Amino acid sequence: MKFSTLLICSTLLLVSATTTVHSQAQTTPGGITQCSSPGVVAYTFDDGPGVYNNLLLSKLAEKNVTATFFVLGNMIAANEQQAAALKDMLDQGHQLASHTFMHEDLNTLTEAAMQQTMTSTADIMFQHSGIRPRYMRAPFGNCGDVCLNVMTRLGYLVTHWNVDTDDWRYITEPSAETAVEKSMANINKIIVQESDPSKDSFIILQHEIHQFSVELLVDKVIDAVLEKGYRFVSIEECVGEPAYLDEPIEPNNPDGPTSPTTTVGSDGSIITINPDSPAGLVTTVDSEGSIITVNPDAPTATVAPVGSPITVSATTTIPSIGNLTTLTTPTRSRTSMPIATSTETGTSGANTVQSAVWAMGLSAIISFILL
């Protein structure tokens, strides 16, 4: 059975997580944990851009404080307002850095998957801000030897912290005031009580997605640090290395997230979609259309025989001569990737192709609780 050559284009869609659960950071060799000169503090915010970003920017402007934002690709892709926040942060003198696309634990990924999440994040950041970050922070602080080697090859500087507000721990406290008090514990002990600005420097970790953290904690942290005699700086000034890459280290798409690729055999029997996805998944359609394994990193896709665009829907049929194949997406668990299954109905055996492939689709609505 012969098929027309297919063209595929895939756009990474996004799931916006309003709350990210974090674990205590693990100590890993390598990576930046303090500034190169004493007397300075780099104030860093993870997991944005979120719904409180505008308020956070206004507070930083009021206090004349520079910060660094380690952003998530999926938060940028969530909506136009959050995507536009990148430009706002840059325009107000803040630094942008990468926190991966979907808050993946890099130590659990293959090297190809690590590269994919970083380049996808860099691509969408470039699309909305015109920059590609040089600094990155691994979710949970997890970046072992393999991760460090990959990040170095990609041109990234892995950035940790040495003071954690632990604000994520206190989002369930009965009152915002209690959450702020507990979040200030490390600031008060490590910076206010025990540090010496003539000798010490700090990188503070906080999150911009928690309401109390932005509305109340930011002011407390800034006032305590300034009163102690420190000066706020970006990570770039803290470390002394440029904030952004002049150009991608690895090939990618300057107009947006890297698109999966498709290969169709001369007999139309094989379609391969993004074999370098985190799970290394390969999509294969046999001559009868009976086997289809879908790449989870292409939440939606548009597939077209030459000149015939096809729109994706939750369940899409692929009619071919004598065959009707239906794609369905099973429920996704926290520890597995969704794999579409194929059920075949009808009869087979046509000798010529009237229409090679009319429709193929995948709709993935990923509800992801970021760890």
Side-chain angles (χ1 to χ4, degrees), residues 9-31:
C9 150
S10 173
T11 304
L12 288 173
L13 290 183
L14 195 156
V15 180
S16 172
T18 57
T19 299
T20 302
V21 179
H22 294 261
S23 64
Q24 180 65 37
Q26 299 177 6
T27 301
T28 57

Side-chain angles (χ1 to χ4, degrees), residues 37-40 191 195-202 225 227-231:
S37 299
V40 296
I191 297 181
S195 78
D196 180 351
S198 69
K199 301 176 181 178
D200 301 321
S201 65
F202 297 98
V225 170
E227 186 175 344
K228 185 66 177 180
Y230 289 94
R231 179 172 62 92

Side-chain angles (χ1 to χ4, degrees), residues 264-283:
V264 182
S266 59
D267 62 351
S269 62
I270 298 175
I271 301 176
T272 302
I273 301 179
N274 198 7
D276 289 329
S277 63
L281 297 181
V282 175
T283 298

Side-chain angles (χ1 to χ4, degrees), residues 67 106 142 157 171 184 195 199 204 251 273 279 296-297 324 340 367:
L106 296 177
N142 289 349
L157 297 175
I171 58 176
M184 282 296 294
S195 78
K199 301 176 181 178
I204 298 175
I273 301 179
D297 288 327
L324 182 64
S367 178

Side-chain angles (χ1 to χ4, degrees), residues 13 16 52 79 81 83-84 92 98 112 117 142 145 162-163 177 216 228 239 243 272 279 299 328 331 339:
L13 290 183
S16 172
Y52 308 112
N79 56 62
Q81 179 181 354
Q92 296 184 40
S98 176
T117 189
N142 289 349
D145 290 342
N162 55 5
V163 178
E177 290 73 19
L216 301 175
K228 185 66 177 180
V239 177
T272 302
T328 59
T331 302
I339 297 180

Side-chain angles (χ1 to χ4, degrees), residues 21-218:
V21 179
H22 294 261
S23 64
Q24 180 65 37
Q26 299 177 6
T27 301
T28 57
I32 299 161
T33 58
Q34 63 182 15
C35 301
S36 58
S37 299
V40 296
V41 170
Y43 202 3
T44 68
F45 294 89
D46 286 7
D47 294 353
V51 296
Y52 308 112
N53 187 265
N54 284 339
L55 176 60
L56 176 54
L57 291 180
S58 67
K59 284 180 173 291
L60 294 173
E62 181 182 348
K63 300 279 189 178
N64 196 28
V65 168
T66 298
T68 300
F69 293 83
F70 288 86
V71 300
L72 292 168
N74 70 340
M75 293 294 278
I76 299 168
N79 56 62
E80 292 183 3
Q81 179 181 354
Q82 290 178 200
L86 296 188
K87 194 69 165 57
D88 293 339
M89 288 184 271
L90 286 178
D91 289 346
Q92 296 184 40
H94 303 295
Q95 181 181 339
L96 298 178
S98 176
H99 198 38
T100 73
F101 201 90
M102 294 187 69
H103 208 273
E104 302 95 326
D105 183 341
L106 296 177
N107 284 347
T108 69
L109 302 184
T110 64
E111 293 188 32
M114 290 183 204
Q115 177 173 326
Q116 183 183 29
T117 189
M118 297 307 299
T119 54
S120 293
T121 306
D123 285 348
I124 198 168
M125 290 178 71
F126 182 84
Q127 181 182 1
H128 292 285
S129 69
I131 63 90
R132 294 185 187 278
R134 189 180 181 199
Y135 292 81
M136 67 81 63
R137 174 172 286 158
F140 320 109
N142 289 349
C143 189
D145 290 342
V146 174
C147 170
L148 284 169
N149 289 337
V150 171
M151 295 306 121
T152 299
R153 173 167 56 81
L154 294 176
Y156 289 101
L157 297 175
V158 178
T159 310
H160 299 299
W161 59 91
N162 55 5
V163 178
D164 191 349
T165 62
D166 284 329
D167 55 347
W168 60 272
R169 292 182 183 276
Y170 309 122
I171 58 176
T172 59
E173 290 295 324
S175 72
E177 290 73 19
T178 300
V180 170
E181 181 181 357
K182 292 184 176 182
S183 297
M184 282 296 294
N186 285 339
I187 300 292
N188 289 330
K189 180 179 186 296
I190 299 172
I191 297 181
V192 176
Q193 298 172 12
E194 300 178 353
S195 78
D196 180 351
S198 69
K199 301 176 181 178
D200 301 321
S201 65
F202 297 98
I203 300 174
I204 298 175
L205 170 60
Q206 197 167 321
H207 300 86
E208 65 161 279
I209 59 172
H210 308 312
Q211 185 173 3
F212 87 88
S213 194
V214 173
E215 291 185 347
L216 301 175
L217 182 58
V218 167

